[in-house]
Amino acid sequence: MVKVLHCADIHLDSPFVLFSPRESEKRRNELRAAFTSALLYAREMKVDLFIISGDLFDGEYVTRDTCEMLVREFAKAGNMRIFISPGNHDHLGAGSPYETLEFPENVHVFGRERECVHLDDLGVDVYGFGFDSKNCLSSPVVGWRGLDKEKINILVCHGDMSAANSTTGPIAKNDIAESGFDYIALGHIHKSTGLQQENGVYYGYPGCIEGRGFDEIGYKGALCGVIEKGEVKMQLKRFSKSRYEVLEVDISGATDKMQVLDIIRNKIRPYTEDTALRLILTGELNRAVVILPNEIGKGCEYPYYIEIIDKTTLVPDLGELEKSNTLKGVFCRNILSEMSNFDEDSEEYKVLSAALKYGISALEDRNVIDYTGGGNK
């Protein structure tokens, strides 16, 4: 039996383009902290194998400080073995940190050729290889031969199970089922799959260790547990310092800004200072109401970042407008007349609906800049 921590897709020094330069630097430090927390946890739990299945770095963004930090942290690991399989974002080649850094002896970086590292004291064979470019057209799971059935056989690789024609190491479930490994430590997919099994072969994606955008929602971490011959027990443990979340809020029927704010504040209570929140407003309103992120609230009870996307539909009081000879009334009648020529699902109808919302807001001297998004810290 061996204790294992399996992580992947760290993307150290990711640029975090969503935020201001100051906030981006803070997020990069949190990303480093999430990774070093995983290393610290592994040391405290006396983990035997610390596995990184690709994309430890984020391509050309890697900095000297990060490289020096890694060497220091890896050196603290003592007897814990660290295995790294370079992926499509940190592939081997000219300028790669893997080509220039001198890692401690307990760290093994798989090269371009397939290889096996024998850990006889643990009764484990660890297999793997690294990407030598952004593309890998062959399956990293297929073609391994001569596995010692008396040992625990672990494959460390970067690969993609989401598309059969993937250019980043396409993997089919049948490839896994026929591989003969005890555990396949995968990387590339940023959402954790948890522990999976095909024909007695266990495998899993831990997902990224820290979300970097609204396409990576929720808390993130690594798969931790034990591997023995014929049985694997791994669970996802959180290491992320922050999270991204997307929340849809229906504000139908609200008649003024204060009502809208009350609805929003009530709905976002579960999301506090460790959350970057994308708030999607939906529903029907009879008058234009524009909410700015900084009006929702600040402090530890609120998300540290809020982005608003307004998808509400403006449904004016037609009876009132029909009687109105004001500029607003004339504008609404003309737009509504034009909208009646199109189906509600058509692009033309949606554009006219948005024009109605913007137009009324402008005629009421209201701010229109945040109908399509915007955020605050």
Side-chain angles (χ1 to χ4, degrees):
M1 181 185 77
V2 289
K3 291 183 178 180
V4 176
L5 188 146
H6 167 207
C7 61
D9 301 288
I10 318 298
H11 290 275
L12 290 171
D13 289 329
S14 183
F16 288 98
V17 294
L18 178 66
F19 302 108
S20 67
R22 182 177 179 180
E23 185 65 31
S24 296
E25 181 61 25
K26 176 177 178 290
R27 294 292 291 118
R28 281 191 289 273
N29 288 334
E30 288 180 343
L31 178 55
R32 288 187 187 184
F35 182 64
T36 55
S37 292
L39 283 165
L40 176 60
Y41 174 82
R43 295 202 308 269
E44 291 177 343
M45 297 302 294
K46 300 188 184 306
V47 162
D48 299 300
L49 306 180
F50 190 98
I51 294 171
I52 305 170
S53 299
D55 290 355
L56 171 59
F57 304 106
D58 199 31
E60 67 273 21
Y61 299 109
V62 62
T63 64
R64 182 175 181 178
D65 285 348
T66 292
C67 291
E68 292 174 351
M69 177 275 292
L70 280 175
V71 173
R72 288 196 307 270
E73 292 298 321
F74 287 163
K76 295 177 184 177
N79 294 327
M80 182 171 68
R81 275 79 162 217
I82 299 170
F83 289 91
I84 305 173
S85 175
N88 58 307
H89 282 280
D90 63 345
H91 58 82
L92 301 162
S96 166
Y98 299 124
E99 306 286 350
T100 57
L101 286 177
E102 291 188 15
F103 287 119
E105 292 183 0
N106 61 320
V107 178
H108 183 88
V109 179
F110 287 107
R112 296 169 175 80
E113 303 297 326
R114 297 182 174 216
E115 60 179 311
C116 172
V117 178
H118 303 287
L119 304 176
D120 294 333
D121 58 322
L122 296 176
V124 176
D125 283 346
V126 183
Y127 295 77
F129 75 97
F131 279 36
D132 60 4
S133 74
K134 292 184 177 181
N135 297 323
C136 178
L137 302 182
S138 60
S139 171
V141 175
V142 173
W144 299 92
R145 298 287 184 267
L147 275 62
D148 186 342
K149 295 182 180 180
E150 299 300 315
K151 287 188 174 183
I152 296 172
N153 296 287
I154 298 173
L155 173 61
V156 181
C157 64
H158 205 71
D160 188 1
M161 292 186 69
S162 68
N165 60 348
S166 173
T167 59
T168 49
I171 300 172
K173 286 186 177 181
N174 192 54
D175 297 340
I176 292 173
E178 296 179 356
S179 68
F181 287 100
D182 295 290
Y183 181 68
I184 300 178
L186 295 170
H188 186 64
I189 304 298
H190 287 199
K191 182 178 181 180
S192 176
T193 62
L195 186 64
Q196 304 289 313
Q197 184 185 170
E198 286 291 328
N199 192 34
V201 177
Y202 292 87
Y203 68 97
Y205 287 98
C208 56
I209 205 165
E210 182 88 29
R212 297 177 299 145
F214 289 110
D215 56 341
E216 298 173 355
I217 63 172
Y219 294 119
K220 305 295 183 179
L223 289 170
C224 308
V226 296
I227 301 175
E228 53 188 318
K229 202 67 184 175
E231 186 175 12
V232 177
K233 296 178 181 179
M234 303 278 275
Q235 291 185 331
L236 187 69
K237 178 172 177 58
R238 174 191 167 185
F239 291 109
S240 61
K241 307 303 178 183
S242 302
R243 61 172 170 167
Y244 291 82
E245 296 290 353
V246 177
L247 178 67
E248 187 173 301
V249 176
D250 188 339
I251 58 173
S252 295
T255 57
D256 57 38
K257 178 174 286 190
M258 288 310 301
Q259 286 189 4
V260 173
L261 287 172
D262 285 344
I263 294 171
I264 291 172
R265 288 166 182 161
N266 184 58
K267 294 291 186 180
I268 69 171
R269 284 179 182 173
Y271 307 104
T272 55
E273 60 183 343
D274 70 348
T275 305
L277 180 65
R278 172 175 286 170
L279 188 62
I280 302 174
L281 301 181
T282 63
E284 294 185 348
L285 301 174
N286 59 20
R287 62 176 298 179
V289 177
V290 176
I291 302 297
L292 301 178
N294 59 14
E295 294 175 314
I296 295 172
K298 292 184 178 181
C300 61
E301 296 180 358
Y302 294 94
Y304 72 88
Y305 176 91
I306 299 176
E307 175 183 294
I308 296 177
I309 297 178
D310 190 340
K311 292 188 176 181
T312 57
T313 302
L314 189 61
V315 183
D317 186 337
L318 300 183
E320 179 183 338
L321 287 174
E322 283 175 350
K323 300 173 185 176
S324 173
N325 290 320
T326 63
L327 180 58
K328 185 169 67 172
V330 173
F331 171 76
C332 289
R333 284 197 295 275
N334 287 339
I335 292 289
L336 290 168
S337 175
E338 190 68 22
M339 288 171 66
S340 67
N341 297 322
F342 301 99
D343 184 81
E344 290 187 8
D345 294 327
S346 68
E347 240 358 91
E348 291 86 353
Y349 187 94
K350 293 176 183 177
V351 170
L352 288 166
S353 179
L356 181 63
K357 185 192 306 183
Y358 277 100
I360 289 181
S361 187
L363 290 168
E364 292 180 345
D365 197 27
R366 294 174 180 272
N367 196 327
V368 299
I369 61 171
D370 265 30
Y371 270 126
T372 56
N376 78 312
K377 293 182 287 180

